[in-house]
Amino acid sequence: MKLLAAGLTALTLSPCTLALGEHEFDWGSRARYAHVDADNSGQAASLLLRANVESAWSELLNSTLEVDAIGTALKDDHSDGERFNDESLIPDPQGVEINQAFLSLDLDAANIHLGRQRINFDNQRFIGGNGFWQNEQTFDAVLAKFKLASNSNMTYGYIANANRIYGDDADENNSGREHDYENAWRPAAFLGDHKHHSHLARLEWNEWDYTRVVGYGYRIDNRDMPSVSNNTFGASYTLNYKASVVKYRLQLEAARQNRFELNAESLPYYLVDLGFGISTWELSTRYEILGANDGAAFVTPLGSNHDFEGWADEIGNTPDTGVRNFSLGLLWRASPLRVETSYHFFKDDLDGTNIGREFDLDFVYKPARKHSISLRLANFEPEGNSGSVRKVYLDYSFNL
């Protein structure tokens, strides 16, 4: 896949080949300041610059090339996942890498992508790009989407490599960078690349006015971190309905997972997500269970985990005893402003012991279509005597 990405780069940038097709160039950026207030506080500043070119070579064949460059400051005040210095973790490392480079074949009954690409399924709970972070997670993969009816489809994907948020410099032996590990080997959880032999299957049936049904089966075979490998099968039902001035939203989901490397079977997942909207307001409640047994818990190693278990990221990696997450949310939006808040109650799944509570708040101001300013606040209060964790993210983004 890395050879394919290099070949696509040469193809897209060669003056001879540029003259053969139609090309659309674009760029975007995001500047961020992040602050962590905890027992070990820290701060970071970073800038993402993204350039991409989409090329149409024929009616059937297209290509996409996207390059990201990330610069960072205040390096002595934080660890970034690629580089550690005993300070708080803010996983926005610096570096330059190919974010996407893939060929697309558009047929009447199917669309096929081959190469490095972002894959976002549904709400990204199980498969997603972790796009909140400056270095997005993308995949070296083959992805084929087949039309089944007017609005329904079946998707199959094969993943050979996950390009993770820690970047290409986060290699196994920490080459060229300082580190604080006891030996010369980086833990697998902080590797920038995970080799895979993973298969994704998803069936979406969306032929009704208000409802959608999705069934999926994922075999995640992670060769660099076998402990998170799993077989997951599940289904979800979504309802969106408007009656007079009230909008109703309902999502029900259930799944079962086997973590075959740990001999842990029948790990359950359940979700109930209910929302009511009137005018510019929406009130929601969400109850999610990532169950545990046999000394292991249900995991989502390829998901956009920052979005679901609280923005303080204290519960992002499911503890071995599982987690129950009950949350209440309130959303208000009236262009150009959007304000979202939620309150989480976390419990252990095995015995219901309280883990902690978290309050999250998001302000987004979009003065124009391509410009956005956001302020994200998170405050996690653990159960017991351990200290609270407060995080702040201030972003300005252009065309992202």
Side-chain angles (χ1 to χ4, degrees):
M1 285 297 178
K2 292 184 180 296
L3 291 175
L4 172 62
L8 283 172
T9 304
L11 170 66
T12 309
L13 296 182
S14 166
C16 296
T17 56
L18 279 173
L20 297 177
E22 296 180 358
H23 313 281
E24 183 177 341
F25 298 86
D26 208 352
W27 72 282
S29 66
R30 178 167 57 206
R32 167 174 295 165
Y33 173 76
H35 184 269
V36 178
D37 183 8
D39 291 339
N40 189 16
S41 298
Q43 60 179 339
S46 58
L47 175 64
L48 163 67
L49 295 175
R50 173 174 292 169
N52 58 65
V53 55
E54 296 186 357
S55 303
W57 306 101
S58 70
E59 292 184 357
L60 300 180
L61 185 63
N62 303 277
S63 68
T64 295
L65 174 67
E66 188 171 80
V67 179
D68 285 358
I70 302 167
T72 63
L74 305 173
K75 294 183 179 181
D76 292 336
D77 296 333
H78 74 284
S79 301
D80 58 23
E82 183 267 315
R83 173 189 51 80
F84 285 86
N85 56 6
D86 292 324
E87 302 296 335
S88 291
L89 176 64
I90 301 174
D92 283 330
Q94 70 176 12
V96 177
E97 58 183 75
I98 296 174
N99 196 49
Q100 294 195 99
F102 64 88
L103 293 172
S104 178
L105 184 62
D106 296 317
L107 306 174
D108 290 338
N111 179 269
I112 303 171
H113 288 180
L114 172 63
R116 180 166 299 181
Q117 57 193 285
R118 62 173 59 94
I119 303 177
N120 295 328
F121 283 175
D122 302 306
N123 62 358
Q124 303 183 42
R125 187 63 179 101
F126 293 92
I127 310 293
N130 253 324
F132 173 78
W133 303 112
Q134 297 283 51
N135 187 32
E136 181 184 18
Q137 176 173 263
T138 57
F139 304 95
D140 297 340
V142 179
L143 190 71
K145 188 174 184 178
F146 304 93
K147 294 181 181 179
L148 297 181
S150 60
N151 250 352
S152 302
N153 60 78
M154 181 179 67
T155 303
Y156 167 76
Y158 171 77
I159 295 176
N161 193 77
N163 309 286
R164 307 175 71 234
I165 64 173
Y166 303 113
D168 284 343
D169 287 336
D171 56 8
E172 192 174 57
N173 60 3
N174 302 284
S175 59
R177 297 295 179 122
E178 67 270 29
H179 60 85
D180 60 0
Y181 305 129
E182 295 180 358
N183 53 50
W185 302 104
R186 175 181 298 276
F190 290 105
L191 287 172
D193 288 89
H194 277 173
K195 295 181 179 64
H196 276 255
H197 186 57
S198 297
H199 299 267
L200 316 175
R202 177 183 177 273
L203 174 64
E204 175 182 344
W205 194 258
N206 192 14
E207 300 300 315
W208 303 289
D209 290 337
Y210 309 111
T211 62
R212 183 185 68 153
V213 176
V214 173
Y216 52 84
Y218 307 137
R219 179 175 175 81
I220 308 301
D221 186 358
N222 188 322
R223 299 303 176 89
D224 284 310
M225 194 173 177
S227 62
V228 299
S229 296
N230 65 81
N231 293 322
T232 301
F233 298 91
S236 69
Y237 169 83
T238 303
L239 168 70
N240 286 286
Y241 181 73
K242 183 176 181 180
S244 185
V245 297
V246 182
K247 296 179 181 178
Y248 299 92
R249 175 179 55 80
L250 171 66
Q251 182 182 353
L252 304 174
E253 187 165 359
R256 279 290 185 274
Q257 183 177 93
N258 295 335
R259 295 178 64 178
F260 45 85
E261 293 288 343
L262 302 182
N263 295 318
E265 299 183 353
S266 295
L267 303 172
Y269 173 86
Y270 302 106
L271 170 68
V272 178
D273 189 354
L274 180 63
F276 302 93
I278 300 177
S279 184
T280 59
W281 295 88
E282 180 181 300
L283 176 66
S284 63
T285 181
R286 179 183 176 94
Y287 187 51
E288 184 182 52
I289 298 175
L290 289 88
N293 58 54
D294 296 328
F298 193 104
V299 292
T300 57
L302 296 183
S304 296
N305 295 332
H306 173 82
D307 298 335
F308 298 97
E309 299 290 352
W311 297 332
D313 296 303
E314 293 297 298
I315 313 291
N317 295 319
T318 312
D320 289 341
T321 51
V323 63
R324 305 175 194 170
N325 176 12
F326 174 73
S327 63
L328 295 171
L330 183 64
L331 172 65
W332 176 81
R333 50 190 163 199
S335 182
L337 294 174
R338 182 179 185 275
V339 181
E340 181 180 3
T341 183
S342 60
Y343 199 90
H344 298 260
F345 301 85
F346 298 109
K347 289 179 177 289
D348 183 297
D349 178 60
L350 286 183
D351 57 16
T353 303
N354 290 329
I355 298 175
R357 300 163 303 281
E358 179 169 329
F359 175 72
D360 294 330
L361 184 60
D362 212 19
F363 295 92
V364 179
Y365 173 60
K366 297 192 71 170
R369 184 174 63 87
K370 292 187 176 183
H371 300 269
S372 178
I373 300 171
S374 66
L375 176 64
R376 175 164 291 188
L377 311 172
N379 182 56
F380 177 77
E381 298 286 346
E383 194 72 16
N385 297 323
S386 53
S388 61
V389 176
R390 290 174 289 274
K391 295 186 179 182
V392 179
Y393 300 96
L394 177 61
D395 290 4
Y396 164 72
S397 62
F398 170 75
N399 199 28
L400 289 180

